[in-house]
């Protein structure tokens, strides 16, 4: 009897299972998972200061690496660095551990300069057991507070040596005050902090003005932070060819049926679905997805929809999921008004990341077209 056909069989065979649809997924994410997943995402699971490629023409990048190396070193020492007892001794030792320097680092810079790489490198370099370090985006942190409650979140994170917050956002005053209060409690407990900026340049200005506003938001904590400005161009596109042009609907559909674990969705339908799923679940919605295939990509109709797509783009990028699409190029997703408005930094980051993922998917489309 012959073996059943599988996706890894002979050339040109269609995957054994039809592609899934993200629009059919609305996962529920338990609080325990939110806590357990507060580690650098897969794309940054093995990064380090050593493999951060600095631009010789941008000395602020090398300066940031050295500053963060020193910061990580000051957080070491004690049994916790080797996974020892987590609680009583930690609260006594944590505050003096970094007494020679600031209790927090704030990485400020444009999209694509490697801030997340550096933040994850700090997490990896800090000599403490993984359960004594937490890494998450600002959105993920606010979701954790929503799931656990404020007091339980304080209790859960107070035993940590380091909390890294990626993409700290200032667009929701309520969330900003909430997290500011949380950070105050954690610093009092001896937790070191590190954050990357994700500001509203249209309202707050660029660079150090944005950083200063962040520090004002966390009120009495400003003395604990050192701001590192990181200059540079988007590393995702340095010296690379232009992003691949969108494919035809037929090519995208064929690729989805040839790629094991691929999803296939109509872009407008996916945008509508995102409005009914909380952004905290977008990561879980992508569980097991090996490639995202989208037909009919077009301009985003409004800002609320655009911001949801930004979150999905971040989760796909974190998980290194290639994106194969038909329709308009990703640099035409957002209107000129959006790209010149208060959220423009987010939109440019999303364009950058989606373009990188489209480049990653080019080989998949070529294989599908040739029947491989």
């Amino acid at each position: 009897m012959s073996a059943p056909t599988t996706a890894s069989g002979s050339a040109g065979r269609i995957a054994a299972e039809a592609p899934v649809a993200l629009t059919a997924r609305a996962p529920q994410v338990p609080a325990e998972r939110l806590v357990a997943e507060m580690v650098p995402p897969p794309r940054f699971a093995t990064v380090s200061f050593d493999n951060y490629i600095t631009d010789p023409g941008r000395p602020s990048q090398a300066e940031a690496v050295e500053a963060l190396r020193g910061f990580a070193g000051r957080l070491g020492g004690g049994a916790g660095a080797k996974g020892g007892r987590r609680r009583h001794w930690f609260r006594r030792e944590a505050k003096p551990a970094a007494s020679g320097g600031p209790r927090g680092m704030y990485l400020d810079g444009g999209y694509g300069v490697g801030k997340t790489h550096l933040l994850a490198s700090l997490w990896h370099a800090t000599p403490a057991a993984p359960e004594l370090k937490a890494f998450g985006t600002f959105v993920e942190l606010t979701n954790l507070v929503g799931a656990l409650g404020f007091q339980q979140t304080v209790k859960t994170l107070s035993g940590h040596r380091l909390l890294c917050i990626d993409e700290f956002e200032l667009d929701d005053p309520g969330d900003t005050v909430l997290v500011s209060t949380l950070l105050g409690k954690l610093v009092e407990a001896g937790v070191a902090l590190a954050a990357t900026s994700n500001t509203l340049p249209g309202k707050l200005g660029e660079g150090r003005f944005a950083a200063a506003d962040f520090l004002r938001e966390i009120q009495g904590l400003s003395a604990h932070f050192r701001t590192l400005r990181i200059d540079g161009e988007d590393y995702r596109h340095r010296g690379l060819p232009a992003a691949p042009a969108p494919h035809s609907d037929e090519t995208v559909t064929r690729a989805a049926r040839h790629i094991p674990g691929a999803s296939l969705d109509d872009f407008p339908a996916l945008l509508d679905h995102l409005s009914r799923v909380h952004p905290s679940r977008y990561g879980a919605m992508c569980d097991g997805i090996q490639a995202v295939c989208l037909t009919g990509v077009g301009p985003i109709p409004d800002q609320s929809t655009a911001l949801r797509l930004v979150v999905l783009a971040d989760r796909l990028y974190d998980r290194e999921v290639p994106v194969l699409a038909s329709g308009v190029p990703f640099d035409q997703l957002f209107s000129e008004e959006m790209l010149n408005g208060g959220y423009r930094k987010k939109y440019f980051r999303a364009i950058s990341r989606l373009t990188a993922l489209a480049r990653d998917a080019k080989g998949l489309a070529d294989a599908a077209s040739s029947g491989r």
Side-chain angles (χ1 to χ4, degrees):
M1 184 173 66
S2 62
T5 301
T6 66
S8 58
S10 62
R13 288 180 180 171
I14 293 178
E17 296 182 5
V20 300
L22 294 179
T23 52
R25 294 183 164 195
Q28 299 297 317
V29 183
E32 294 78 10
R33 173 171 172 172
L34 295 176
V35 176
E37 291 186 343
M38 292 197 72
V39 297
R43 180 176 288 272
F44 301 99
T46 60
V47 299
S48 68
F49 294 129
D50 290 336
N51 58 32
Y52 176 78
I53 302 175
T54 59
D55 182 345
R58 306 284 186 169
S60 62
Q61 296 181 6
E63 292 167 3
V65 169
E66 290 310 304
L68 291 170
R69 282 187 192 274
F71 185 66
R74 291 194 297 273
L75 298 178
K82 299 180 180 180
R85 295 181 180 179
R86 295 184 56 185
R87 296 293 180 185
H88 303 293
W89 66 267
F90 176 77
R91 289 182 182 172
R92 292 195 300 269
E93 298 294 336
K95 291 181 181 179
S99 58
R103 289 298 304 163
M105 288 288 191
Y106 177 76
L107 312 183
D108 184 40
Y111 59 93
V113 298
K115 298 188 302 298
T116 302
H117 183 128
L118 290 174
L119 191 67
S121 298
L122 173 64
W123 189 94
H124 291 300
T126 297
E131 63 267 21
L132 293 178
K133 302 179 287 187
F135 184 107
T137 64
F138 181 90
V139 171
E140 289 168 332
L141 187 59
T142 56
N143 290 338
L144 183 66
V145 176
L148 298 182
F150 183 82
Q151 295 300 331
Q152 184 60 44
T153 302
V154 172
K155 183 178 179 180
T156 298
L157 297 179
S158 287
H160 285 58
R161 189 176 296 276
L162 173 69
L163 171 62
C164 295
I165 309 171
D166 198 21
E167 303 162 15
F168 198 101
E169 303 186 11
L170 294 175
D171 35 298
D172 187 319
D175 280 349
T176 301
V177 172
L178 172 69
V179 174
S180 298
T181 305
L182 173 64
L183 297 188
K185 296 290 186 182
L186 296 180
V187 166
E188 290 176 4
V191 182
L193 307 173
T196 65
S197 66
N198 190 356
T199 62
L200 297 178
K203 296 181 180 179
L204 302 175
E206 298 273 0
R208 296 186 186 278
F209 293 103
D213 193 272
F214 166 74
L215 297 178
R216 286 196 299 272
E217 286 295 333
I218 58 173
Q219 300 175 2
L221 298 182
S222 59
H224 299 291
F225 280 80
R226 174 182 174 184
T227 300
L228 299 176
R229 173 67 186 180
I230 304 171
D231 300 303
E233 61 178 307
D234 188 344
Y235 76 92
R236 286 182 279 271
H237 309 301
R238 291 177 194 162
L240 293 174
H247 304 277
S248 67
D249 287 351
E250 180 184 5
T251 297
V252 172
T253 301
R254 183 189 305 116
R257 296 186 180 280
H258 277 77
I259 303 168
S263 65
L264 176 61
D265 290 276
D266 174 64
F267 187 67
L270 178 60
L271 294 181
D272 182 62
H273 181 65
L274 293 180
S275 69
R276 297 190 294 273
V277 178
H278 192 276
S280 66
R281 304 175 188 173
Y282 290 1
M285 191 169 67
C286 300
D287 282 352
I289 299 298
Q290 301 303 309
V292 167
C293 299
L294 301 171
T295 58
V297 171
I300 306 297
D302 59 81
Q303 191 145 260
S304 295
T305 302
L307 292 172
R308 287 191 289 267
L309 181 64
V310 167
V311 176
L312 179 63
D314 287 340
R315 301 292 79 80
L316 293 174
Y317 183 78
D318 288 346
R319 289 159 174 77
E320 300 181 298
V321 179
V323 177
L324 195 67
S326 66
V328 305
F330 287 130
D331 61 3
Q332 295 179 24
L333 284 173
F334 308 106
S335 68
E336 285 299 317
E337 182 179 1
M338 292 178 182
L339 293 178
N340 290 320
Y343 296 101
R344 65 186 178 93
K345 194 169 185 180
K346 291 186 178 186
Y347 298 146
F348 279 114
R349 186 183 78 239
I351 292 170
S352 170
R353 291 184 165 186
L354 288 171
T355 297
L357 295 177
R359 188 179 292 116
D360 292 344
K362 187 176 185 303
L364 301 176
D366 293 342
S369 296
S370 63
R372 292 198 300 272

